[in-house]
């Protein structure tokens, strides 16, 4: 699953070019009793084989409906989807994210599933608390929850232990924007220059660093799900004064956000995090696995990538640090949307309904890749994680304790992503945080006037 990695392509203009009756990649007539092939898109290559199993099982039960799955990496996925919707050839069903679907709704590009869901009698009390409501706008439901996620602090175990930080200490870290709290202590202790001196040594050379204590995620849109958003929220920040998709006033220029951005900027200035011009050419996976960074924030969906017992680098996940306002992890979830231009809406809904069923979610759970939205399936996933040697406790414990906040829903989310991400890039490159975020906040509010 994923979490909110960014796109710069805007969806707003494509509503004018949407060909509602186009057949796109669909094949078959769609009439009762005749063969239909549904195109289904997703972005996670790790989950592809699991959903292929669901597709095979679904077709075995529904011989007249074949599912063809296309997997594309996150960034290209949304660009391709934009192009295909504009040309009238979008997939019948596609994996959807809460940061995108309000725009699809506004442009009438996905189907309202309310009546079909009510007719099917789906019981949403079976799903993880809070996630079914994420797919409702203006009283209409646009998806059935398929999974959920949270984020935690990913760290290099060997580096942490060498600096005196046990797993217990890592799960009890604190943070504040003044000195970084005990997280700041960890970052300084694990930042080492090329002469072997850590950042606590007066002779530490910040211009010649071998390993950095923390790797900030700057390509994180308007939400900061994999980084700054969690720190800011634990500092008392809220994104806007509106709860539902059409914000009129934003809080990006408020002290809680400015303080957070300033702290992250200072990490770079002090040599505790990579310079932005260095970091922009690298990726989180690369720097963590080559041992040049001791910690970063990563999502529960990355456990299989980092916790493989055969990995030459031993990693661990910890709860996020407790900030001035408490401990908070961003939570998100996915569903599946039906393109409004599909020629086969009823067959598409049968597939979407199956994707949200226990039969499919239990199968996905056994793959130990994500936490399925169904509570019973989550239990299966937890056991599967443990059997593979993964420890999902930091994520599950934070969610169970209510130490969460939902990734916000924003209409015009793509344009907003670009505004805030550009501002954060400038700050990472040395721009004044207050001035930069004030301008970004003004630009964000102008979107909704």
């Amino acid at each position: 699953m994923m979490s909110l990695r960014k796109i710069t392509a805007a969806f707003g203009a494509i509503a004018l070019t949407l060909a509602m009756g186009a057949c796109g990649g669909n094949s078959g007539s769609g009439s009762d009793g005749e063969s239909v092939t549904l195109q289904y898109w997703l972005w996670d290559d790790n989950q592809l084989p699991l959903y292929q199993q669901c597709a095979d099982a679904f077709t075995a039960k529904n011989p007249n409906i074949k599912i063809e799955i296309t997997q594309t990496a996150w960034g290209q996925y949304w660009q391709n989807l934009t192009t295909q919707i504009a040309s009238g050839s979008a997939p019948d069903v596609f994996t959807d994210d809460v940061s995108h679907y309000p725009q699809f709704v506004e442009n009438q590009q996905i189907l309202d599933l309310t009546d079909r869901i009510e007719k099917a009698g789906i019981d949403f009390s079976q799903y993880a608390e809070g996630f079914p409501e994420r797919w409702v706008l203006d009283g209409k439901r646009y998806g059935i929850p398929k999974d959920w996620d949270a984020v935690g602090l990913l760290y290099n175990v060997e580096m942490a232990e060498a600096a005196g930080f046990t797993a217990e200490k890592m799960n009890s870290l604190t943070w504040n924007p003044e000195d970084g709290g005990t997280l700041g202590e960890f970052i300084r202790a694990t930042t080492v220059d090329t002469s072997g001196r850590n950042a606590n040594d007066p002779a530490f050379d910040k211009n010649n660093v071998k390993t950095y204590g923390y790797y900030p995620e700057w390509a994180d849109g308007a939400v900061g799900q994999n980084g700054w958003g969690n720190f800011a929220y634990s500092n008392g920040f809220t994104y806007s004064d509106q709860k539902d998709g059409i914000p009129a006033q934003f809080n990006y220029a408020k002290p809680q956000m400015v303080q957070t951005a300033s702290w992250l900027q200072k990490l770079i200035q002090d040599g505790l995090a990579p310079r932005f011009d260095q970091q922009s050419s690298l990726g989180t996976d690369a720097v963590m696995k080559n041992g040049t960074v001791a910690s970063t924030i990563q999502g529960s969906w990355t456990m299989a990538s980092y916790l493989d017992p055969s990995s030459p680098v031993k990693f661990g996940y910890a709860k996020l640090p407790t900030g001035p306002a408490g401990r908070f992890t961003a939570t998100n979830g996915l569903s599946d949307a039906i393109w409004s231009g599909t020629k086969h809406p009823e067959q598409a809904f049968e597939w979407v309904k199956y994707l949200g069923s226990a039969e499919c979610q239990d199968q996905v759970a056994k793959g130990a890749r994500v936490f399925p939205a169904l509570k019973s399936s989550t239990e299966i996933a937890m056991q599967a994680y443990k059997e593979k040697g993964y420890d999902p406790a930091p994520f599950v414990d934070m969610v169970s304790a209510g130490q969460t906040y939902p990734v916000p829903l924003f209409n015009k989310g793509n344009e907003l992503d670009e505004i805030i991400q550009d501002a954060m890039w400038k700050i990472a490159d040395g721009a004044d945080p207050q001035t930069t975020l004030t301008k970004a906040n003004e630009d964000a509010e102008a979107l909704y006037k």
Side-chain angles (χ1 to χ4, degrees):
M1 186 174 352
M2 157 349 270
S3 64
L4 292 177
R5 283 130 284 202
K6 301 304 117 230
I7 341 110
T8 56
F11 281 81
I14 58 180
L16 298 176
T17 58
L18 178 63
M20 298 296 293
C23 65
N26 305 327
S27 62
S29 70
S31 302
D32 290 343
E34 295 185 19
S35 177
V36 165
T37 297
L38 299 178
Q39 301 297 324
Y40 176 56
W41 282 17
L42 50 76
W43 61 76
D44 192 332
D45 58 341
N46 289 321
Q47 294 184 52
L48 173 59
L50 304 177
Y51 283 105
Q52 185 61 60
Q53 292 175 12
C54 286
D56 294 342
F58 174 78
T59 297
K61 288 189 169 187
N62 302 273
N64 294 322
I65 309 176
K66 183 181 177 182
I67 309 298
E68 288 189 355
I69 302 178
T70 298
Q71 179 270 324
T72 312
W74 172 269
Q76 194 63 42
Y77 176 89
W78 296 105
Q79 293 175 20
N80 290 353
L81 190 58
T82 301
T83 301
Q84 295 303 309
I85 291 177
S87 66
S89 56
D92 303 275
V93 180
F94 57 89
T95 304
D96 205 1
D97 181 271
V98 294
S99 65
H100 293 88
Y101 95 92
Q103 194 75 45
F104 293 133
V105 172
E106 181 183 34
N107 293 334
Q108 300 180 359
Q109 293 161 349
I110 60 176
L111 292 182
D112 168 13
L113 304 181
T114 308
D115 292 343
R116 290 180 173 91
I117 286 173
E118 289 180 354
K119 185 177 179 181
I122 295 173
D123 178 11
F124 286 104
S125 68
Q126 305 172 82
Y127 296 89
E129 186 176 352
F131 290 97
E133 292 73 24
R134 306 239 68 202
W135 302 99
V136 177
L137 279 179
D138 297 325
K140 298 178 180 179
R141 188 176 294 278
Y142 294 91
I144 300 170
K146 65 187 294 182
D147 58 31
W148 64 265
D149 62 57
V151 299
L153 186 67
L154 175 70
Y155 66 96
N156 183 305
V157 173
E158 183 178 345
M159 291 182 185
E161 290 179 347
F165 286 82
T166 62
E168 183 179 3
K169 283 187 177 181
M170 294 302 297
N171 278 287
S172 303
L173 293 176
T174 61
W175 174 82
N176 67 71
E178 286 76 39
D179 62 12
T182 56
L183 173 64
E185 294 175 9
F186 168 81
I187 293 172
R188 289 190 293 274
T190 53
T191 298
V192 181
D193 67 17
T194 53
S195 297
R197 298 169 297 218
N198 72 21
N200 291 316
D201 189 322
F204 169 72
D205 184 358
K206 69 178 183 180
N207 296 313
N208 291 285
V209 177
K210 179 181 179 181
T211 60
Y212 295 94
Y214 182 72
Y215 186 85
E217 173 61 80
W218 294 105
D220 222 3
V223 175
Q225 179 185 5
N226 296 307
W228 61 259
N230 302 274
F231 290 120
Y233 207 90
S234 74
N235 197 33
F237 169 75
T238 55
Y239 296 90
S240 78
D241 293 341
Q242 301 289 323
K243 293 183 178 179
D244 301 316
I246 311 177
Q249 185 174 356
F250 288 97
N251 299 323
Y252 289 105
K254 293 288 179 69
Q256 297 91 337
M257 178 63 187
V258 175
Q259 291 167 359
T260 301
S262 298
W263 176 75
L264 288 166
Q265 184 187 69
K266 194 170 188 302
L267 291 182
I268 295 176
Q269 294 170 345
D270 291 346
L272 305 174
R275 293 200 317 268
F276 183 60
D277 60 345
Q278 294 176 333
Q279 180 172 342
S280 59
S281 63
L282 302 173
T284 303
D285 191 71
V287 298
M288 291 302 296
K289 290 182 177 178
N290 69 18
T292 58
V293 175
S295 69
T296 191
I297 290 178
Q298 283 285 274
S300 54
W301 61 89
T302 65
M303 279 191 284
S305 175
Y306 290 106
L307 298 184
D308 186 337
S310 65
S311 172
V313 180
K314 184 178 181 182
F315 292 103
Y317 288 87
K319 300 176 186 178
L320 292 181
T322 300
R327 188 202 308 275
F328 294 98
T329 176
T331 56
N332 196 5
L334 305 179
S335 75
D336 293 291
I338 300 177
W339 176 46
S340 55
T342 180
K343 280 192 170 184
H344 315 298
E346 299 309 320
Q347 292 91 339
F349 179 70
E350 289 303 311
W351 171 232
V352 167
K353 185 171 65 173
Y354 185 78
L355 287 165
S357 71
E359 184 171 334
C360 178
Q361 293 200 13
D362 285 357
Q363 183 63 49
V364 171
K366 294 172 184 176
R369 297 291 182 179
V370 294
F371 294 111
L374 282 167
K375 298 173 186 176
S376 57
S377 300
T378 292
E379 293 299 321
I380 295 173
M382 288 183 66
Q383 183 60 36
Y385 279 125
K386 292 174 182 176
E387 289 175 357
K388 287 182 176 289
Y390 310 161
D391 181 10
F395 303 106
V396 175
D397 289 350
M398 286 187 290
V399 172
S400 299
Q403 297 169 334
T404 66
Y405 69 95
V407 168
L409 301 181
F410 288 135
N411 193 15
K412 302 183 180 179
N414 302 295
E415 296 95 325
L416 184 63
D417 275 348
E418 187 171 357
I419 290 171
I420 303 304
Q421 182 169 294
D422 283 351
M424 295 302 289
W425 280 350
K426 290 175 182 177
I427 292 168
D429 215 21
D432 177 67
Q434 181 68 72
T435 302
T436 305
L437 287 170
T438 297
K439 176 63 165 60
N441 202 78
E442 292 170 353
D443 292 345
E445 292 180 350
L447 279 176
Y448 300 87
K449 292 181 180 179

PDB file of all heavy atoms in Angstrom, residues 87-112:
ATOM      1  N   SER A  87      -8.415  10.339 -22.390  1.00  0.00           N
ATOM      2  CA  SER A  87      -8.633   9.788 -23.733  1.00  0.00           C
ATOM      3  C   SER A  87      -9.851   8.873 -23.798  1.00  0.00           C
ATOM      4  O   SER A  87     -10.177   8.354 -24.868  1.00  0.00           O
ATOM      5  CB  SER A  87      -7.393   9.013 -24.177  1.00  0.00           C
ATOM      6  OG  SER A  87      -7.200   7.858 -23.368  1.00  0.00           O
ATOM      7  N   GLY A  88     -10.509   8.664 -22.662  1.00  0.00           N
ATOM      8  CA  GLY A  88     -11.692   7.810 -22.658  1.00  0.00           C
ATOM      9  C   GLY A  88     -11.378   6.340 -22.685  1.00  0.00           C
ATOM     10  O   GLY A  88     -12.206   5.537 -23.145  1.00  0.00           O
ATOM     11  N   SER A  89     -10.194   5.954 -22.218  1.00  0.00           N
ATOM     12  CA  SER A  89      -9.814   4.536 -22.264  1.00  0.00           C
ATOM     13  C   SER A  89      -9.269   4.064 -20.919  1.00  0.00           C
ATOM     14  O   SER A  89      -8.328   3.279 -20.866  1.00  0.00           O
ATOM     15  CB  SER A  89      -8.770   4.313 -23.359  1.00  0.00           C
ATOM     16  OG  SER A  89      -7.642   5.146 -23.163  1.00  0.00           O
ATOM     17  N   ALA A  90      -9.849   4.553 -19.842  1.00  0.00           N
ATOM     18  CA  ALA A  90      -9.395   4.196 -18.496  1.00  0.00           C
ATOM     19  C   ALA A  90      -9.780   2.759 -18.161  1.00  0.00           C
ATOM     20  O   ALA A  90     -10.679   2.178 -18.782  1.00  0.00           O
ATOM     21  CB  ALA A  90     -10.012   5.143 -17.476  1.00  0.00           C
ATOM     22  N   PRO A  91      -9.121   2.164 -17.169  1.00  0.00           N
ATOM     23  CA  PRO A  91      -9.516   0.818 -16.730  1.00  0.00           C
ATOM     24  C   PRO A  91     -10.891   0.853 -16.094  1.00  0.00           C
ATOM     25  O   PRO A  91     -11.304   1.867 -15.524  1.00  0.00           O
ATOM     26  CB  PRO A  91      -8.439   0.463 -15.704  1.00  0.00           C
ATOM     27  CG  PRO A  91      -7.968   1.779 -15.191  1.00  0.00           C
ATOM     28  CD  PRO A  91      -8.005   2.705 -16.378  1.00  0.00           C
ATOM     29  N   ASP A  92     -11.580  -0.267 -16.165  1.00  0.00           N
ATOM     30  CA  ASP A  92     -12.923  -0.350 -15.565  1.00  0.00           C
ATOM     31  C   ASP A  92     -12.858  -0.115 -14.061  1.00  0.00           C
ATOM     32  O   ASP A  92     -13.710   0.574 -13.486  1.00  0.00           O
ATOM     33  CB  ASP A  92     -13.528  -1.733 -15.829  1.00  0.00           C
ATOM     34  CG  ASP A  92     -13.603  -2.046 -17.300  1.00  0.00           C
ATOM     35  OD1 ASP A  92     -14.580  -1.633 -17.927  1.00  0.00           O
ATOM     36  OD2 ASP A  92     -12.666  -2.695 -17.817  1.00  0.00           O
ATOM     37  N   VAL A  93     -11.858  -0.696 -13.425  1.00  0.00           N
ATOM     38  CA  VAL A  93     -11.688  -0.600 -11.974  1.00  0.00           C
ATOM     39  C   VAL A  93     -10.221  -0.280 -11.699  1.00  0.00           C
ATOM     40  O   VAL A  93      -9.334  -0.822 -12.356  1.00  0.00           O
ATOM     41  CB  VAL A  93     -12.073  -1.924 -11.268  1.00  0.00           C
ATOM     42  CG1 VAL A  93     -11.901  -1.804  -9.755  1.00  0.00           C
ATOM     43  CG2 VAL A  93     -13.513  -2.314 -11.615  1.00  0.00           C
ATOM     44  N   PHE A  94      -9.975   0.593 -10.732  1.00  0.00           N
ATOM     45  CA  PHE A  94      -8.590   0.902 -10.371  1.00  0.00           C
ATOM     46  C   PHE A  94      -8.470   1.141  -8.876  1.00  0.00           C
ATOM     47  O   PHE A  94      -9.413   1.594  -8.227  1.00  0.00           O
ATOM     48  CB  PHE A  94      -8.053   2.099 -11.157  1.00  0.00           C
ATOM     49  CG  PHE A  94      -8.832   3.379 -11.020  1.00  0.00           C
ATOM     50  CD1 PHE A  94      -8.539   4.292 -10.007  1.00  0.00           C
ATOM     51  CD2 PHE A  94      -9.844   3.684 -11.920  1.00  0.00           C
ATOM     52  CE1 PHE A  94      -9.232   5.481  -9.885  1.00  0.00           C
ATOM     53  CE2 PHE A  94     -10.558   4.875 -11.813  1.00  0.00           C
ATOM     54  CZ  PHE A  94     -10.249   5.779 -10.790  1.00  0.00           C
ATOM     55  N   THR A  95      -7.296   0.814  -8.344  1.00  0.00           N
ATOM     56  CA  THR A  95      -7.017   1.051  -6.934  1.00  0.00           C
ATOM     57  C   THR A  95      -6.979   2.553  -6.690  1.00  0.00           C
ATOM     58  O   THR A  95      -6.326   3.302  -7.414  1.00  0.00           O
ATOM     59  CB  THR A  95      -5.671   0.429  -6.534  1.00  0.00           C
ATOM     60  OG1 THR A  95      -5.701  -0.966  -6.855  1.00  0.00           O
ATOM     61  CG2 THR A  95      -5.433   0.578  -5.032  1.00  0.00           C
ATOM     62  N   ASP A  96      -7.689   2.992  -5.656  1.00  0.00           N
ATOM     63  CA  ASP A  96      -7.866   4.418  -5.391  1.00  0.00           C
ATOM     64  C   ASP A  96      -7.268   4.782  -4.034  1.00  0.00           C
ATOM     65  O   ASP A  96      -7.161   3.944  -3.136  1.00  0.00           O
ATOM     66  CB  ASP A  96      -9.357   4.767  -5.420  1.00  0.00           C
ATOM     67  CG  ASP A  96      -9.607   6.223  -5.749  1.00  0.00           C
ATOM     68  OD1 ASP A  96      -8.637   6.967  -5.973  1.00  0.00           O
ATOM     69  OD2 ASP A  96     -10.797   6.611  -5.798  1.00  0.00           O
ATOM     70  N   ASP A  97      -6.902   6.035  -3.906  1.00  0.00           N
ATOM     71  CA  ASP A  97      -6.268   6.557  -2.699  1.00  0.00           C
ATOM     72  C   ASP A  97      -7.076   7.762  -2.217  1.00  0.00           C
ATOM     73  O   ASP A  97      -7.592   8.531  -3.039  1.00  0.00           O
ATOM     74  CB  ASP A  97      -4.826   6.962  -3.032  1.00  0.00           C
ATOM     75  CG  ASP A  97      -4.076   7.505  -1.838  1.00  0.00           C
ATOM     76  OD1 ASP A  97      -4.131   8.731  -1.609  1.00  0.00           O
ATOM     77  OD2 ASP A  97      -3.433   6.707  -1.142  1.00  0.00           O
ATOM     78  N   VAL A  98      -7.156   7.961  -0.901  1.00  0.00           N
ATOM     79  CA  VAL A  98      -7.996   9.035  -0.375  1.00  0.00           C
ATOM     80  C   VAL A  98      -7.512  10.412  -0.788  1.00  0.00           C
ATOM     81  O   VAL A  98      -8.296  11.367  -0.792  1.00  0.00           O
ATOM     82  CB  VAL A  98      -8.110   8.966   1.170  1.00  0.00           C
ATOM     83  CG1 VAL A  98      -8.841   7.722   1.609  1.00  0.00           C
ATOM     84  CG2 VAL A  98      -6.749   9.078   1.833  1.00  0.00           C
ATOM     85  N   SER A  99      -6.243  10.548  -1.147  1.00  0.00           N
ATOM     86  CA  SER A  99      -5.747  11.862  -1.547  1.00  0.00           C
ATOM     87  C   SER A  99      -6.167  12.230  -2.966  1.00  0.00           C
ATOM     88  O   SER A  99      -6.014  13.375  -3.386  1.00  0.00           O
ATOM     89  CB  SER A  99      -4.218  11.897  -1.450  1.00  0.00           C
ATOM     90  OG  SER A  99      -3.636  11.008  -2.370  1.00  0.00           O
ATOM     91  N   HIS A 100      -6.695  11.261  -3.713  1.00  0.00           N
ATOM     92  CA  HIS A 100      -7.072  11.514  -5.096  1.00  0.00           C
ATOM     93  C   HIS A 100      -8.578  11.477  -5.350  1.00  0.00           C
ATOM     94  O   HIS A 100      -9.069  12.169  -6.239  1.00  0.00           O
ATOM     95  CB  HIS A 100      -6.406  10.482  -6.014  1.00  0.00           C
ATOM     96  CG  HIS A 100      -4.925  10.602  -6.075  1.00  0.00           C
ATOM     97  ND1 HIS A 100      -4.089   9.965  -5.188  1.00  0.00           N
ATOM     98  CD2 HIS A 100      -4.114  11.303  -6.897  1.00  0.00           C
ATOM     99  CE1 HIS A 100      -2.836  10.262  -5.469  1.00  0.00           C
ATOM    100  NE2 HIS A 100      -2.821  11.071  -6.493  1.00  0.00           N
ATOM    101  N   TYR A 101      -9.313  10.683  -4.600  1.00  0.00           N
ATOM    102  CA  TYR A 101     -10.674  10.419  -5.033  1.00  0.00           C
ATOM    103  C   TYR A 101     -11.617  11.616  -4.966  1.00  0.00           C
ATOM    104  O   TYR A 101     -12.557  11.701  -5.772  1.00  0.00           O
ATOM    105  CB  TYR A 101     -11.246   9.186  -4.314  1.00  0.00           C
ATOM    106  CG  TYR A 101     -12.075   9.426  -3.078  1.00  0.00           C
ATOM    107  CD1 TYR A 101     -13.459   9.570  -3.163  1.00  0.00           C
ATOM    108  CD2 TYR A 101     -11.491   9.474  -1.825  1.00  0.00           C
ATOM    109  CE1 TYR A 101     -14.219   9.759  -2.028  1.00  0.00           C
ATOM    110  CE2 TYR A 101     -12.244   9.653  -0.696  1.00  0.00           C
ATOM    111  CZ  TYR A 101     -13.615   9.806  -0.788  1.00  0.00           C
ATOM    112  OH  TYR A 101     -14.372   9.992   0.330  1.00  0.00           O
ATOM    113  N   PRO A 102     -11.416  12.602  -4.062  1.00  0.00           N
ATOM    114  CA  PRO A 102     -12.321  13.767  -4.123  1.00  0.00           C
ATOM    115  C   PRO A 102     -12.284  14.471  -5.481  1.00  0.00           C
ATOM    116  O   PRO A 102     -13.302  14.981  -5.951  1.00  0.00           O
ATOM    117  CB  PRO A 102     -11.803  14.672  -3.000  1.00  0.00           C
ATOM    118  CG  PRO A 102     -11.193  13.734  -2.021  1.00  0.00           C
ATOM    119  CD  PRO A 102     -10.532  12.689  -2.879  1.00  0.00           C
ATOM    120  N   GLN A 103     -11.106  14.496  -6.121  1.00  0.00           N
ATOM    121  CA  GLN A 103     -11.007  15.106  -7.443  1.00  0.00           C
ATOM    122  C   GLN A 103     -11.759  14.279  -8.475  1.00  0.00           C
ATOM    123  O   GLN A 103     -12.436  14.822  -9.353  1.00  0.00           O
ATOM    124  CB  GLN A 103      -9.543  15.229  -7.848  1.00  0.00           C
ATOM    125  CG  GLN A 103      -9.299  16.145  -9.042  1.00  0.00           C
ATOM    126  CD  GLN A 103      -9.416  17.609  -8.667  1.00  0.00           C
ATOM    127  OE1 GLN A 103      -8.890  18.017  -7.642  1.00  0.00           O
ATOM    128  NE2 GLN A 103     -10.102  18.382  -9.475  1.00  0.00           N
ATOM    129  N   PHE A 104     -11.654  12.957  -8.375  1.00  0.00           N
ATOM    130  CA  PHE A 104     -12.417  12.094  -9.274  1.00  0.00           C
ATOM    131  C   PHE A 104     -13.918  12.333  -9.107  1.00  0.00           C
ATOM    132  O   PHE A 104     -14.672  12.341 -10.080  1.00  0.00           O
ATOM    133  CB  PHE A 104     -12.103  10.622  -9.005  1.00  0.00           C
ATOM    134  CG  PHE A 104     -10.708  10.190  -9.343  1.00  0.00           C
ATOM    135  CD1 PHE A 104      -9.964   9.433  -8.459  1.00  0.00           C
ATOM    136  CD2 PHE A 104     -10.132  10.524 -10.561  1.00  0.00           C
ATOM    137  CE1 PHE A 104      -8.676   9.024  -8.760  1.00  0.00           C
ATOM    138  CE2 PHE A 104      -8.845  10.120 -10.883  1.00  0.00           C
ATOM    139  CZ  PHE A 104      -8.116   9.359  -9.967  1.00  0.00           C
ATOM    140  N   VAL A 105     -14.348  12.496  -7.865  1.00  0.00           N
ATOM    141  CA  VAL A 105     -15.764  12.731  -7.587  1.00  0.00           C
ATOM    142  C   VAL A 105     -16.206  14.046  -8.199  1.00  0.00           C
ATOM    143  O   VAL A 105     -17.240  14.132  -8.864  1.00  0.00           O
ATOM    144  CB  VAL A 105     -16.027  12.718  -6.065  1.00  0.00           C
ATOM    145  CG1 VAL A 105     -17.463  13.155  -5.769  1.00  0.00           C
ATOM    146  CG2 VAL A 105     -15.778  11.328  -5.489  1.00  0.00           C
ATOM    147  N   GLU A 106     -15.425  15.107  -7.973  1.00  0.00           N
ATOM    148  CA  GLU A 106     -15.789  16.423  -8.498  1.00  0.00           C
ATOM    149  C   GLU A 106     -15.924  16.402 -10.013  1.00  0.00           C
ATOM    150  O   GLU A 106     -16.830  17.021 -10.580  1.00  0.00           O
ATOM    151  CB  GLU A 106     -14.737  17.451  -8.089  1.00  0.00           C
ATOM    152  CG  GLU A 106     -15.070  18.854  -8.581  1.00  0.00           C
ATOM    153  CD  GLU A 106     -14.004  19.866  -8.249  1.00  0.00           C
ATOM    154  OE1 GLU A 106     -12.819  19.500  -8.247  1.00  0.00           O
ATOM    155  OE2 GLU A 106     -14.361  21.031  -7.982  1.00  0.00           O
ATOM    156  N   ASN A 107     -15.019  15.664 -10.671  1.00  0.00           N
ATOM    157  CA  ASN A 107     -15.027  15.611 -12.134  1.00  0.00           C
ATOM    158  C   ASN A 107     -15.920  14.513 -12.693  1.00  0.00           C
ATOM    159  O   ASN A 107     -15.907  14.269 -13.902  1.00  0.00           O
ATOM    160  CB  ASN A 107     -13.600  15.424 -12.650  1.00  0.00           C
ATOM    161  CG  ASN A 107     -12.723  16.627 -12.382  1.00  0.00           C
ATOM    162  OD1 ASN A 107     -13.212  17.748 -12.259  1.00  0.00           O
ATOM    163  ND2 ASN A 107     -11.424  16.410 -12.265  1.00  0.00           N
ATOM    164  N   GLN A 108     -16.654  13.834 -11.793  1.00  0.00           N
ATOM    165  CA  GLN A 108     -17.601  12.778 -12.195  1.00  0.00           C
ATOM    166  C   GLN A 108     -16.907  11.669 -12.980  1.00  0.00           C
ATOM    167  O   GLN A 108     -17.419  11.147 -13.955  1.00  0.00           O
ATOM    168  CB  GLN A 108     -18.754  13.380 -13.008  1.00  0.00           C
ATOM    169  CG  GLN A 108     -19.550  14.419 -12.237  1.00  0.00           C
ATOM    170  CD  GLN A 108     -20.690  15.006 -13.035  1.00  0.00           C
ATOM    171  OE1 GLN A 108     -20.904  14.664 -14.195  1.00  0.00           O
ATOM    172  NE2 GLN A 108     -21.450  15.883 -12.407  1.00  0.00           N
ATOM    173  N   GLN A 109     -15.735  11.280 -12.495  1.00  0.00           N
ATOM    174  CA  GLN A 109     -14.941  10.273 -13.185  1.00  0.00           C
ATOM    175  C   GLN A 109     -15.024   8.894 -12.544  1.00  0.00           C
ATOM    176  O   GLN A 109     -14.498   7.937 -13.101  1.00  0.00           O
ATOM    177  CB  GLN A 109     -13.480  10.754 -13.235  1.00  0.00           C
ATOM    178  CG  GLN A 109     -13.318  11.989 -14.107  1.00  0.00           C
ATOM    179  CD  GLN A 109     -12.042  12.750 -13.822  1.00  0.00           C
ATOM    180  OE1 GLN A 109     -11.360  12.487 -12.839  1.00  0.00           O
ATOM    181  NE2 GLN A 109     -11.728  13.722 -14.668  1.00  0.00           N
ATOM    182  N   ILE A 110     -15.628   8.792 -11.373  1.00  0.00           N
ATOM    183  CA  ILE A 110     -15.858   7.486 -10.758  1.00  0.00           C
ATOM    184  C   ILE A 110     -17.320   7.388 -10.349  1.00  0.00           C
ATOM    185  O   ILE A 110     -17.999   8.408 -10.142  1.00  0.00           O
ATOM    186  CB  ILE A 110     -14.940   7.237  -9.537  1.00  0.00           C
ATOM    187  CG1 ILE A 110     -15.154   8.288  -8.443  1.00  0.00           C
ATOM    188  CG2 ILE A 110     -13.492   7.184  -9.980  1.00  0.00           C
ATOM    189  CD1 ILE A 110     -14.339   8.023  -7.177  1.00  0.00           C
ATOM    190  N   LEU A 111     -17.808   6.164 -10.236  1.00  0.00           N
ATOM    191  CA  LEU A 111     -19.223   5.936  -9.951  1.00  0.00           C
ATOM    192  C   LEU A 111     -19.539   6.058  -8.467  1.00  0.00           C
ATOM    193  O   LEU A 111     -18.754   5.632  -7.610  1.00  0.00           O
ATOM    194  CB  LEU A 111     -19.639   4.541 -10.421  1.00  0.00           C
ATOM    195  CG  LEU A 111     -19.657   4.275 -11.929  1.00  0.00           C
ATOM    196  CD1 LEU A 111     -20.151   2.849 -12.189  1.00  0.00           C
ATOM    197  CD2 LEU A 111     -20.533   5.289 -12.664  1.00  0.00           C
ATOM    198  N   ASP A 112     -20.688   6.630  -8.181  1.00  0.00           N
ATOM    199  CA  ASP A 112     -21.275   6.594  -6.839  1.00  0.00           C
ATOM    200  C   ASP A 112     -21.798   5.169  -6.634  1.00  0.00           C
ATOM    201  O   ASP A 112     -22.641   4.680  -7.399  1.00  0.00           O
ATOM    202  CB  ASP A 112     -22.405   7.617  -6.771  1.00  0.00           C
ATOM    203  CG  ASP A 112     -23.283   7.485  -5.540  1.00  0.00           C
ATOM    204  OD1 ASP A 112     -22.885   6.763  -4.595  1.00  0.00           O
ATOM    205  OD2 ASP A 112     -24.367   8.094  -5.528  1.00  0.00           O
TER     206      ASP A 112
END
